[in-house]
Amino acid sequence: ARLTFSGTPRPANDTSTTATFAASPNQGLKATTKASTADGNYNSASTTRLASSIADDAIALDPSLEPVAPSSLLDNLLEGYLGPRLILAAIACLYATNFPLGAMMNDALPASAATSARMVFASLALSPFLFQIQPNLRLPAMLCGCFTTLGYISQSIALVDTSPATVSFLGAATVLVCPALEYFIDKKPMSLKEAPQTWCAAVLCLVGVGVLELFDPAGGGLSTTVGTGDMLALLQAVGFGTQVYLCEKIMKDNPSQALPVTAVLVATTALLSSLWCMSDGWMFQPGSEIYTLPNLFFEPSLRDVAAAVVWTGIVSTSFNFFVEVSALGKVPPAEASVILSTEPLWAALFASLMFHESFGANDVVGGCLIVMACLANTLKPSYFHSVFGYDNNDNDLK
């Protein structure tokens, strides 16, 4: 809305005042005023009263122009350039706790029981927001939840017989999934000339995965054995990478729906994980009732596992998902996947602290290459043009 008021010209010592008022429903009120007198003196008091009067009149005509209440800390962080990226980095750190804690839960519980228990907790924490989702976002959020389920189930099964650090490093292949989806679905240009950083990241990531999986320092050469856990760890990257891509699409146009979208996403994951749990067969074994909720919390030998279920369900899943979904609307999916792919570094650190894992040369070299891939994908295309001899003055390449 834009209102203009001009006072009627009067004799020499009378005041002629002009005020312009601009307002936006999303940004609150903004008033610009100018008051002058014939002798050139500025009358701030009359200007302030005039601006206030115009603002009140505008709000009376359109209540949506009421000034917005002060934003929360999260909202303030999300408004800047650095804020959403720092939030995603913190999320990666919290997500990393899922790997060692997931391995610990899988040592004591069936994989399906551990996954469904944490997801049920996460869903309960977000349940008040479940029915606040806009009708047009229900199916997209449920689809996003299906890919999230794929990521969590494959991750949980992989952790049964694969190192938490290895599962996390292989999960960093999300750095390839998001750009691939942008190319095939959004038709985003991905040639070597237009997106050299993506190709550089892809090569580094693939070489890193190869070193991590195929180089055997103990045997002194190459290993051709790739376990089922390794393949499942790569499959989790497909699930989580697609989730990042879809969430960014949803949140870009619906930033106020972060909590409802997260609630539907987690509820879908909890439902599908529960179906997996019920079809897994362990529930019919004698003594298996101690693995179910709420019996898990009353079994003295499973207190640490119960605490891990609560942490991974409420903190590193429901809370993390909400903050991640909020931030994803502010950061391009390819860049978001890169930041989230720093997770393996934290997972390796936590696994080392909790399980005293030692890392071989292949772990160090492969892990470093994957992290370098994550960093390479954050670079601008123009940084690579001197290498390939392209003209940096071409606006299409910047």
Side-chain angles (χ1 to χ4, degrees), residues 117-130 259 262-263 266-267 270 310-315 317-320 322:
R118 64 183 285 199
M119 288 304 160
V120 166
F121 263 94
S123 181
L124 289 175
L126 293 167
S127 58
F129 309 98
L130 188 60
L259 273 171
T262 306
V266 173
V310 173
W311 172 270
T312 56
I314 295 178
V315 178
T317 298
S318 59
F319 172 77
N320 242 20
F322 161 60

Side-chain angles (χ1 to χ4, degrees), residues 126-309:
L126 293 167
S127 58
F129 309 98
L130 188 60
F131 298 103
Q132 296 179 16
I133 191 167
Q134 295 175 2
N136 63 308
L137 298 181
R138 290 170 185 167
L139 287 179
M142 291 174 66
L143 177 62
C144 193
C146 291
F147 282 101
T148 306
T149 306
L150 173 64
Y152 274 116
I153 289 180
S154 55
Q155 178 191 100
S156 184
I157 300 175
L159 286 169
V160 172
D161 57 7
T162 308
S163 161
T166 300
V167 174
S168 183
F169 275 122
L170 293 176
T174 53
V175 74
L176 303 179
V177 175
C178 283
L181 290 172
E182 288 180 319
Y183 174 75
F184 287 109
I185 298 177
D186 297 337
K187 307 303 180 183
K188 182 178 179 180
M190 285 289 177
S191 69
L192 183 60
K193 186 175 181 179
E194 294 162 318
Q197 78 282 7
T198 301
W199 286 95
C200 180
V203 171
L204 287 171
C205 185
L206 290 174
V207 173
V209 169
V211 171
L212 199 64
E213 292 303 306
L214 302 179
F215 179 66
D216 181 14
L222 295 177
S223 171
T224 57
T225 303
V226 178
T228 303
D230 301 319
M231 299 303 297
L232 289 169
L234 289 172
L235 184 60
Q236 74 167 328
V238 176
F240 290 137
T242 307
Q243 173 229 320
V244 169
Y245 172 81
L246 293 175
C247 277
E248 190 274 340
K249 294 294 184 186
I250 295 173
M251 293 309 303
K252 190 172 183 179
D253 298 323
N254 305 277
S256 64
Q257 286 284 292
L259 273 171
V261 167
T262 306
V264 173
L265 186 153
V266 173
T268 302
T269 306
L271 174 62
L272 296 178
S273 297
S274 297
L275 293 175
W276 172 41
C277 183
M278 289 186 287
S279 63
D280 200 21
W282 62 266
M283 297 182 70
F284 304 102
Q285 301 297 323
S288 62
E289 61 275 1
I290 64 171
Y291 302 142
T292 61
L293 295 176
N295 296 332
L296 178 65
F297 292 92
F298 300 104
E299 175 57 40
S301 63
L302 296 176
R303 285 176 180 171
D304 290 344
V305 175
V309 167

